[in-house]
Amino acid sequence: MFDFHMHSTVSCDGHDCPAKMIAAAQKAGLREICFTDHVDDDPLGDSSSLQYRLEDYEAAYSRLTAPDLKLRFGMEFGMLANNTAFAAQRTRERNYDFIIGSVHFADNVDVYFPEYWEGKTVFQAERIYLQTILDCVTAHDDFDVLGHLTFLSKARRHPTHIPICLEDHREVVTEIMKVLVSKGKGMEINTSGVDRCGAYLPAPEYLRLFKELGGKIVTVGSDAHDAKRVGQYCHEACRIVQDIFGYVCTFENREPIFHKL
């Protein structure tokens, strides 16, 4: 199986080196993985600590090999509505296999932390976050899939950790997906919410809607930041994707590869 979202110590918040992540992937019986380290852009502060340096990336990955495991190398880019030029710069700095476009900031703050939640109901926090995603996917072209659409559900300071209900926000979610479809972009099913908020990010009903709207590209990723999470719930996520699409995608040189399940 596949895990196309993981972070080694190349990322600012990664805990294990690439070799340890690879060993964990082999132990989990994975066929192919992609390192997708963070390049985030703080809208109000110094972003240098949120972005890997290209020289560190190359030093970590340029000579890596792994028996019986296909290695791909990508990036998770933190989209803001106004950082499209920065995205173009970073995505063109090397020949990446895969770019995840994610949204980690809304209302100019990191949604994972308490400041975002101050003065908002859960519904308001969800709607602002989803509207920010819509603004970002509309503005950006330099990504391959939208990462963890319902990321907010697992935020550390979420007051309930109840997954975002599709029916509460169907209109804006539909608009997000229509933009993705029109641009030929895909969606990720991210497994990191299963033990944090009791749901995949996003849940299967979102993927069904994406398919109904014409979406074709779907990837699976654990969002592992340490070796023990590599491949976590990815086999189960592939079964969900099999039921909905019949295949799962990986990427090479920014082009999707469709694997029948």
Side-chain angles (χ1 to χ4, degrees), residues 202-252:
E205 57 265 30
Y206 288 80
L207 297 180
R208 293 188 190 98
L209 176 59
F210 185 54
K211 184 183 179 186
E212 289 170 11
L213 294 169
K216 298 183 184 304
I217 297 170
V218 60
T219 62
V220 168
S222 69
D223 210 346
H225 286 67
D226 55 54
K228 69 178 179 290
R229 285 188 174 269
V230 171
Q232 190 175 47
Y233 307 115
C234 285
H235 294 279
E236 295 87 343
C238 281
R239 285 196 288 272
I240 292 169
V241 171
Q242 180 181 23
D243 290 342
I244 298 170
F245 290 89
Y247 58 82
V248 68
C249 295
T250 60
F251 274 76
E252 181 180 6

Side-chain angles (χ1 to χ4, degrees), residues 77 79-89 91-92 98-102 133-146 178-186 251 254:
F77 183 83
M79 297 186 292
L80 305 174
N82 62 355
N83 70 348
T84 56
F86 182 55
Q89 171 196 333
T91 57
R92 287 163 174 72
F98 181 53
I99 307 293
I100 300 171
S102 294
I133 292 176
L134 177 57
D135 294 342
C136 289
V137 298
T138 300
H140 282 262
D141 294 311
D142 289 295
F143 69 101
D144 300 313
V145 305
L146 173 64
K178 285 181 176 178
V179 173
L180 295 176
V181 171
S182 72
K183 293 186 174 190
K185 308 301 184 184
F251 274 76
R254 305 290 305 279

